[in-house]
Each structure stands twice: as C-alpha cells, then as structure tokens.
Amino acid sequence: MKHVLFQVVTIFVAALLLASSAQAQRGQFLTAEEFRDQIFAEALPYQALWINKAQRAQIEGILDHSFRGLRIRYWGSGEQTAWIFEEIGKELPITVGVSVDASGIVGLSILEYRESRGGEVRYPFFISQFKGLNLLARDEGYKLSGHIDGITGATLSVKALKKVATLALFCHQLSPYATNHESVE
Amino acid sequence: MWRWHKRLGLACLIIFLSVAVSGFLLNHTSELALDKQKTSSEWLLAHYGFRLPTITSYPIHDRWLSDLGGDYLYLDSEQLAYCQGSLVGAVTLEQFSVVACERELLLLTPEGELVEHIGAVYGVPSPIDALGLCGEQLCLRASGALYLADVQQLQWRELAEGVLEPSEFGVLPEALEKSLREYALGGGLDMERVLLDLHSGRIFGVYGVWLVDLAALGLILLALSGFWMWYQQASRRRG
C-alpha cells in the first residue's frame, strides 16, 4: 500500500514540475516600446514600409507561406532599423523583434513566446548566433549568411526565428535606412 | 390470427411507410440527385450537430464585412483575413476602413485589400468591445474605458470622458446571407444522408434503429401469419 502511495505522489509531483516548466517557457518578456527603447536612444515614431506585389512574393518565399498586408511597421534612425514580426512556431505565434544595421543583424529578442515547449530560443546562447548575419540571395531564395545551430525539441521555433531574421534583413534593405537600398528591389 | 395480423400491421404502419418511401427514393438516388440536394432545415442541421453560424456584418465602402463566428472575416462572400476575436465594429474613414475584432484592428483599403493587422504587440487596448467615433475621431472602447485611436502612429489615448458613437451593424442582403450560411456549413447535409438514416432509423439514434429492427421483425411475422391464414382458408376450401 505504501509503495503504491509513493508512486502516486511521485507521478503527481512530476506532473506538477512538467506543468510549471511549460508555464515558465511561455510569457511576454518585452513590450514593443521596451524593445524600441533598448535599441534607440529616443522614442521614435513608427514608420511604414509599403510592400509591392513583387516584394510580397519575395516575402512569401522567405516565410514559405502567404503574407497578407500592404505595409510593415518599423522604427528607423541613421542606418539602423528595428522590426517586429509574428511567426508561428509549432501552433502559436512567436513575437520577435529584430534590429538591423549596415553590418547585418544587431540583435534579436523574443517579445512573447506562447508555446509550451521550445522556449529556450529566447536565451542568449541561441539568440547570439544571429548577431552579424547578413542576407544572401541564392537561386532558391533569400538565406541567412551563417549557420544557426538548432535546439533539440525546439526545431520549429528555431525555423520560425530563422525566417523572421531573414525577413528583417530583407525588409531593412527595402527601407530608406539601408546603405545598399536598391539591392533587393 | 386475423385480429393479431391486423393489430401488428396497424402498429407498424408508420414505420413501414417511412421505410418504403425512403427506400423507393434511395433506389433512384442518381436520377433524383439526392447527394447534391442540401437541406436548409435548421432543425435537421442542428440534429446532425452542425453549428449554425451567427453572422455579424458591417457595411464598408458599399460592401459587406462579415464574421461567421470563426477565425476569418469575409468581405462580401470572399475570405478576407484572420482576425483575433469576434468582429465588434467597422468604421469607414477617408483613406482606410478600420475593422475591430476583440483583440486586434485591421486596416483595409477602399478596395478591400488588407493593409495591416494591428494587434496587442502595438499596445492596442483589449478586449475591444466597440469601435466608432468620438466626435470626428476614431475611438474604441475596451474593458469599459474609451480610447482615441491613432492607427497611423499606433497611439491609444484614454479619454477621461467622452461619448462613443459605435459603428452600426447592418442586415445582409438575403442572397449574400444565404451564400455565407451555406459556406459556413461547409458541404452541408445532403438528402441522401438524411434518407439513408431515415431508412435505417439511425436518424432517431439507437432507439430508432431498434424500432426499425422491431418493425422488420413485425414484417416477417405479417408475412408468415398472412401465409398461414391463406393456407388455412385454402385447406378449408379443399377439405
């Protein structure tokens, strides 16, 4: 009897630990304004990047799914821009902020993570891999200039972040803040 | 014997008629195109577990924006865009139409093309319960508070006092409502399915099947008793 009771208590505690671990992965970690304030010294107003048909097709190529909308919001100053995108990892959207300048990606932050697993993608050991990466135009489409190591159990979240990073680099080059403004138009 | 034969026949009359008529129609499914005829009976649809859509619609730029109770909004009869939460309002401005669902705003061009989603990440107060005008300015109400909405600069200024004139929903033209309803019900319910279930009794659940089984047993007994009565009469005439 004691043995059975011990097993039930162990299973209950393990379930509680698993549930609390899933809860710990989810959350809103930054608001849009906090993300902006981390990058720019002043409270810049939103800008809008208008997307034409050809650019939309390229964006859909990067995301590998349809993209609805005619404009994308961002902040820009000097040669730097900051973008916020939402991309679905496994089932729910991950809200990601990416800042870009002439040298490539300056930083990437997870503003909100909603999935129960894969939240490790917000930690610096993973995020730091994106720093300095640029956009490469290949026959098969746009790619990141460097390799990103995956995380076991977070494959889809990693894939989503790579798409968002590529998209931010693409959009930066369409913005008037890019030094090679024409290259992807 | 004759009395029991008569009683059994009367007791099963309705079921025999139902099975015979449905069987007759099912024998001619192709000619009558029963598989293509959809029923619009709300009772039958509800009985089969179809969720009947509650359609909410707002007129924008001479067109109709509708929420069928799912995740997507429809402009006339075309799917427009995903929108988080139920549709709560739509306002036509000079450059855009602004559409409010409970947890995000959508901007549309006068041609009905989606300009952008403005969700919680941009600080939109939510859940939104109404969108309209405060004087001449776009205004929304969320959690009981009124906010002036600047959809260009994405600023939401809470109003200490003010009166919101909410956008008014409209009544869809009959043909459009019918087509949206049919769309929301997917393939819908065809008459062949209904007749098959009526024939087997399954339309009334497990008890309906048992009832048809009992009627089938009754039909066998009627045949046997009918034969027995004829045989006895014939024997008497010969004897």
PDB file of all heavy atoms in Angstrom, chain B residues 155-174:
ATOM      1  N   GLN B 155      -1.150  55.026 -31.578  1.00  0.00           N
ATOM      2  CA  GLN B 155      -1.247  55.583 -30.226  1.00  0.00           C
ATOM      3  C   GLN B 155      -2.687  55.467 -29.743  1.00  0.00           C
ATOM      4  O   GLN B 155      -3.630  55.675 -30.520  1.00  0.00           O
ATOM      5  CB  GLN B 155      -0.792  57.042 -30.226  1.00  0.00           C
ATOM      6  CG  GLN B 155       0.715  57.143 -30.397  1.00  0.00           C
ATOM      7  CD  GLN B 155       1.204  58.570 -30.559  1.00  0.00           C
ATOM      8  OE1 GLN B 155       0.413  59.493 -30.723  1.00  0.00           O
ATOM      9  NE2 GLN B 155       2.510  58.734 -30.517  1.00  0.00           N
ATOM     10  N   TRP B 156      -2.823  55.141 -28.484  1.00  0.00           N
ATOM     11  CA  TRP B 156      -4.140  54.898 -27.887  1.00  0.00           C
ATOM     12  C   TRP B 156      -4.235  55.770 -26.651  1.00  0.00           C
ATOM     13  O   TRP B 156      -3.589  55.484 -25.649  1.00  0.00           O
ATOM     14  CB  TRP B 156      -4.290  53.413 -27.545  1.00  0.00           C
ATOM     15  CG  TRP B 156      -3.565  52.560 -28.528  1.00  0.00           C
ATOM     16  CD1 TRP B 156      -2.343  51.978 -28.367  1.00  0.00           C
ATOM     17  CD2 TRP B 156      -3.964  52.255 -29.871  1.00  0.00           C
ATOM     18  NE1 TRP B 156      -1.965  51.321 -29.509  1.00  0.00           N
ATOM     19  CE2 TRP B 156      -2.943  51.475 -30.450  1.00  0.00           C
ATOM     20  CE3 TRP B 156      -5.085  52.569 -30.642  1.00  0.00           C
ATOM     21  CZ2 TRP B 156      -3.009  51.011 -31.770  1.00  0.00           C
ATOM     22  CZ3 TRP B 156      -5.147  52.099 -31.949  1.00  0.00           C
ATOM     23  CH2 TRP B 156      -4.118  51.327 -32.490  1.00  0.00           C
ATOM     24  N   ARG B 157      -4.988  56.848 -26.746  1.00  0.00           N
ATOM     25  CA  ARG B 157      -5.061  57.798 -25.626  1.00  0.00           C
ATOM     26  C   ARG B 157      -6.381  57.629 -24.904  1.00  0.00           C
ATOM     27  O   ARG B 157      -7.451  57.760 -25.510  1.00  0.00           O
ATOM     28  CB  ARG B 157      -4.909  59.241 -26.146  1.00  0.00           C
ATOM     29  CG  ARG B 157      -4.783  60.269 -25.036  1.00  0.00           C
ATOM     30  CD  ARG B 157      -4.177  61.555 -25.574  1.00  0.00           C
ATOM     31  NE  ARG B 157      -5.010  62.193 -26.591  1.00  0.00           N
ATOM     32  CZ  ARG B 157      -6.054  62.981 -26.330  1.00  0.00           C
ATOM     33  NH1 ARG B 157      -6.381  63.240 -25.075  1.00  0.00           N
ATOM     34  NH2 ARG B 157      -6.736  63.552 -27.296  1.00  0.00           N
ATOM     35  N   GLU B 158      -6.274  57.308 -23.618  1.00  0.00           N
ATOM     36  CA  GLU B 158      -7.504  57.075 -22.853  1.00  0.00           C
ATOM     37  C   GLU B 158      -8.220  58.397 -22.619  1.00  0.00           C
ATOM     38  O   GLU B 158      -7.590  59.414 -22.294  1.00  0.00           O
ATOM     39  CB  GLU B 158      -7.171  56.398 -21.508  1.00  0.00           C
ATOM     40  CG  GLU B 158      -8.420  55.968 -20.785  1.00  0.00           C
ATOM     41  CD  GLU B 158      -8.142  55.095 -19.576  1.00  0.00           C
ATOM     42  OE1 GLU B 158      -6.986  54.654 -19.388  1.00  0.00           O
ATOM     43  OE2 GLU B 158      -9.105  54.871 -18.802  1.00  0.00           O
ATOM     44  N   LEU B 159      -9.542  58.370 -22.810  1.00  0.00           N
ATOM     45  CA  LEU B 159     -10.352  59.568 -22.599  1.00  0.00           C
ATOM     46  C   LEU B 159     -10.986  59.510 -21.216  1.00  0.00           C
ATOM     47  O   LEU B 159     -11.580  58.489 -20.855  1.00  0.00           O
ATOM     48  CB  LEU B 159     -11.462  59.648 -23.635  1.00  0.00           C
ATOM     49  CG  LEU B 159     -11.065  59.984 -25.072  1.00  0.00           C
ATOM     50  CD1 LEU B 159     -12.280  59.887 -25.984  1.00  0.00           C
ATOM     51  CD2 LEU B 159     -10.455  61.368 -25.154  1.00  0.00           C
ATOM     52  N   ALA B 160     -10.830  60.599 -20.475  1.00  0.00           N
ATOM     53  CA  ALA B 160     -11.449  60.629 -19.147  1.00  0.00           C
ATOM     54  C   ALA B 160     -12.964  60.660 -19.289  1.00  0.00           C
ATOM     55  O   ALA B 160     -13.695  60.033 -18.537  1.00  0.00           O
ATOM     56  CB  ALA B 160     -10.952  61.848 -18.379  1.00  0.00           C
ATOM     57  N   GLU B 161     -13.418  61.402 -20.290  1.00  0.00           N
ATOM     58  CA  GLU B 161     -14.861  61.416 -20.567  1.00  0.00           C
ATOM     59  C   GLU B 161     -15.084  61.623 -22.056  1.00  0.00           C
ATOM     60  O   GLU B 161     -14.233  62.164 -22.761  1.00  0.00           O
ATOM     61  CB  GLU B 161     -15.561  62.505 -19.762  1.00  0.00           C
ATOM     62  CG  GLU B 161     -14.996  63.897 -19.978  1.00  0.00           C
ATOM     63  CD  GLU B 161     -15.659  64.902 -19.057  1.00  0.00           C
ATOM     64  OE1 GLU B 161     -15.657  64.681 -17.841  1.00  0.00           O
ATOM     65  OE2 GLU B 161     -16.179  65.888 -19.597  1.00  0.00           O
ATOM     66  N   GLY B 162     -16.189  61.175 -22.533  1.00  0.00           N
ATOM     67  CA  GLY B 162     -16.491  61.277 -23.963  1.00  0.00           C
ATOM     68  C   GLY B 162     -17.639  60.352 -24.291  1.00  0.00           C
ATOM     69  O   GLY B 162     -18.025  59.513 -23.489  1.00  0.00           O
ATOM     70  N   VAL B 163     -18.164  60.562 -25.488  1.00  0.00           N
ATOM     71  CA  VAL B 163     -19.290  59.709 -25.900  1.00  0.00           C
ATOM     72  C   VAL B 163     -18.899  58.987 -27.184  1.00  0.00           C
ATOM     73  O   VAL B 163     -18.492  59.611 -28.162  1.00  0.00           O
ATOM     74  CB  VAL B 163     -20.568  60.556 -26.145  1.00  0.00           C
ATOM     75  CG1 VAL B 163     -21.717  59.678 -26.621  1.00  0.00           C
ATOM     76  CG2 VAL B 163     -20.947  61.306 -24.875  1.00  0.00           C
ATOM     77  N   LEU B 164     -18.969  57.689 -27.148  1.00  0.00           N
ATOM     78  CA  LEU B 164     -18.646  56.886 -28.326  1.00  0.00           C
ATOM     79  C   LEU B 164     -19.916  56.626 -29.129  1.00  0.00           C
ATOM     80  O   LEU B 164     -20.917  56.164 -28.582  1.00  0.00           O
ATOM     81  CB  LEU B 164     -18.037  55.541 -27.893  1.00  0.00           C
ATOM     82  CG  LEU B 164     -17.870  54.494 -28.993  1.00  0.00           C
ATOM     83  CD1 LEU B 164     -16.733  54.871 -29.937  1.00  0.00           C
ATOM     84  CD2 LEU B 164     -17.593  53.122 -28.412  1.00  0.00           C
ATOM     85  N   GLU B 165     -19.821  56.979 -30.414  1.00  0.00           N
ATOM     86  CA  GLU B 165     -20.930  56.619 -31.302  1.00  0.00           C
ATOM     87  C   GLU B 165     -20.504  55.349 -32.037  1.00  0.00           C
ATOM     88  O   GLU B 165     -19.700  55.411 -32.976  1.00  0.00           O
ATOM     89  CB  GLU B 165     -21.170  57.759 -32.295  1.00  0.00           C
ATOM     90  CG  GLU B 165     -22.477  57.622 -33.037  1.00  0.00           C
ATOM     91  CD  GLU B 165     -22.615  58.720 -34.084  1.00  0.00           C
ATOM     92  OE1 GLU B 165     -22.217  59.876 -33.795  1.00  0.00           O
ATOM     93  OE2 GLU B 165     -23.086  58.400 -35.182  1.00  0.00           O
ATOM     94  N   PRO B 166     -20.946  54.202 -31.572  1.00  0.00           N
ATOM     95  CA  PRO B 166     -20.437  52.948 -32.144  1.00  0.00           C
ATOM     96  C   PRO B 166     -20.882  52.725 -33.578  1.00  0.00           C
ATOM     97  O   PRO B 166     -21.956  53.186 -33.976  1.00  0.00           O
ATOM     98  CB  PRO B 166     -21.005  51.866 -31.212  1.00  0.00           C
ATOM     99  CG  PRO B 166     -22.154  52.492 -30.525  1.00  0.00           C
ATOM    100  CD  PRO B 166     -21.976  53.973 -30.551  1.00  0.00           C
ATOM    101  N   SER B 167     -20.026  52.037 -34.345  1.00  0.00           N
ATOM    102  CA  SER B 167     -20.401  51.699 -35.717  1.00  0.00           C
ATOM    103  C   SER B 167     -21.604  50.757 -35.663  1.00  0.00           C
ATOM    104  O   SER B 167     -21.696  49.929 -34.757  1.00  0.00           O
ATOM    105  CB  SER B 167     -19.237  51.021 -36.431  1.00  0.00           C
ATOM    106  OG  SER B 167     -18.728  49.969 -35.655  1.00  0.00           O
ATOM    107  N   GLU B 168     -22.485  50.925 -36.607  1.00  0.00           N
ATOM    108  CA  GLU B 168     -23.723  50.135 -36.559  1.00  0.00           C
ATOM    109  C   GLU B 168     -23.647  48.957 -37.509  1.00  0.00           C
ATOM    110  O   GLU B 168     -23.279  49.120 -38.673  1.00  0.00           O
ATOM    111  CB  GLU B 168     -24.918  51.013 -36.947  1.00  0.00           C
ATOM    112  CG  GLU B 168     -25.290  51.972 -35.846  1.00  0.00           C
ATOM    113  CD  GLU B 168     -26.534  52.770 -36.190  1.00  0.00           C
ATOM    114  OE1 GLU B 168     -27.286  52.358 -37.081  1.00  0.00           O
ATOM    115  OE2 GLU B 168     -26.712  53.829 -35.566  1.00  0.00           O
ATOM    116  N   PHE B 169     -24.002  47.775 -36.994  1.00  0.00           N
ATOM    117  CA  PHE B 169     -24.015  46.627 -37.899  1.00  0.00           C
ATOM    118  C   PHE B 169     -25.274  46.690 -38.761  1.00  0.00           C
ATOM    119  O   PHE B 169     -26.222  47.392 -38.439  1.00  0.00           O
ATOM    120  CB  PHE B 169     -23.887  45.300 -37.153  1.00  0.00           C
ATOM    121  CG  PHE B 169     -24.862  45.080 -36.051  1.00  0.00           C
ATOM    122  CD1 PHE B 169     -26.150  44.649 -36.322  1.00  0.00           C
ATOM    123  CD2 PHE B 169     -24.493  45.306 -34.736  1.00  0.00           C
ATOM    124  CE1 PHE B 169     -27.041  44.427 -35.300  1.00  0.00           C
ATOM    125  CE2 PHE B 169     -25.387  45.102 -33.712  1.00  0.00           C
ATOM    126  CZ  PHE B 169     -26.665  44.669 -33.994  1.00  0.00           C
ATOM    127  N   GLY B 170     -25.236  45.976 -39.862  1.00  0.00           N
ATOM    128  CA  GLY B 170     -26.353  46.054 -40.801  1.00  0.00           C
ATOM    129  C   GLY B 170     -26.962  44.695 -41.057  1.00  0.00           C
ATOM    130  O   GLY B 170     -26.497  43.682 -40.536  1.00  0.00           O
ATOM    131  N   VAL B 171     -28.001  44.705 -41.864  1.00  0.00           N
ATOM    132  CA  VAL B 171     -28.672  43.454 -42.233  1.00  0.00           C
ATOM    133  C   VAL B 171     -28.224  43.081 -43.639  1.00  0.00           C
ATOM    134  O   VAL B 171     -28.385  43.859 -44.579  1.00  0.00           O
ATOM    135  CB  VAL B 171     -30.208  43.623 -42.181  1.00  0.00           C
ATOM    136  CG1 VAL B 171     -30.900  42.331 -42.581  1.00  0.00           C
ATOM    137  CG2 VAL B 171     -30.633  44.071 -40.795  1.00  0.00           C
ATOM    138  N   LEU B 172     -27.629  41.908 -43.747  1.00  0.00           N
ATOM    139  CA  LEU B 172     -27.096  41.462 -45.035  1.00  0.00           C
ATOM    140  C   LEU B 172     -28.203  41.261 -46.063  1.00  0.00           C
ATOM    141  O   LEU B 172     -29.304  40.839 -45.708  1.00  0.00           O
ATOM    142  CB  LEU B 172     -26.412  40.106 -44.857  1.00  0.00           C
ATOM    143  CG  LEU B 172     -25.007  40.061 -44.298  1.00  0.00           C
ATOM    144  CD1 LEU B 172     -24.583  38.610 -44.136  1.00  0.00           C
ATOM    145  CD2 LEU B 172     -24.030  40.766 -45.202  1.00  0.00           C
ATOM    146  N   PRO B 173     -27.900  41.527 -47.340  1.00  0.00           N
ATOM    147  CA  PRO B 173     -28.852  41.160 -48.388  1.00  0.00           C
ATOM    148  C   PRO B 173     -29.111  39.644 -48.317  1.00  0.00           C
ATOM    149  O   PRO B 173     -28.190  38.875 -48.004  1.00  0.00           O
ATOM    150  CB  PRO B 173     -28.128  41.526 -49.685  1.00  0.00           C
ATOM    151  CG  PRO B 173     -27.078  42.491 -49.279  1.00  0.00           C
ATOM    152  CD  PRO B 173     -26.709  42.178 -47.870  1.00  0.00           C
ATOM    153  N   GLU B 174     -30.329  39.255 -48.604  1.00  0.00           N
ATOM    154  CA  GLU B 174     -30.755  37.857 -48.400  1.00  0.00           C
ATOM    155  C   GLU B 174     -29.856  36.849 -49.132  1.00  0.00           C
ATOM    156  O   GLU B 174     -29.453  35.834 -48.565  1.00  0.00           O
ATOM    157  CB  GLU B 174     -32.196  37.718 -48.883  1.00  0.00           C
ATOM    158  CG  GLU B 174     -32.914  36.555 -48.236  1.00  0.00           C
ATOM    159  CD  GLU B 174     -34.383  36.527 -48.618  1.00  0.00           C
ATOM    160  OE1 GLU B 174     -35.011  37.602 -48.650  1.00  0.00           O
ATOM    161  OE2 GLU B 174     -34.867  35.430 -48.903  1.00  0.00           O
TER     162      GLU B 174
END
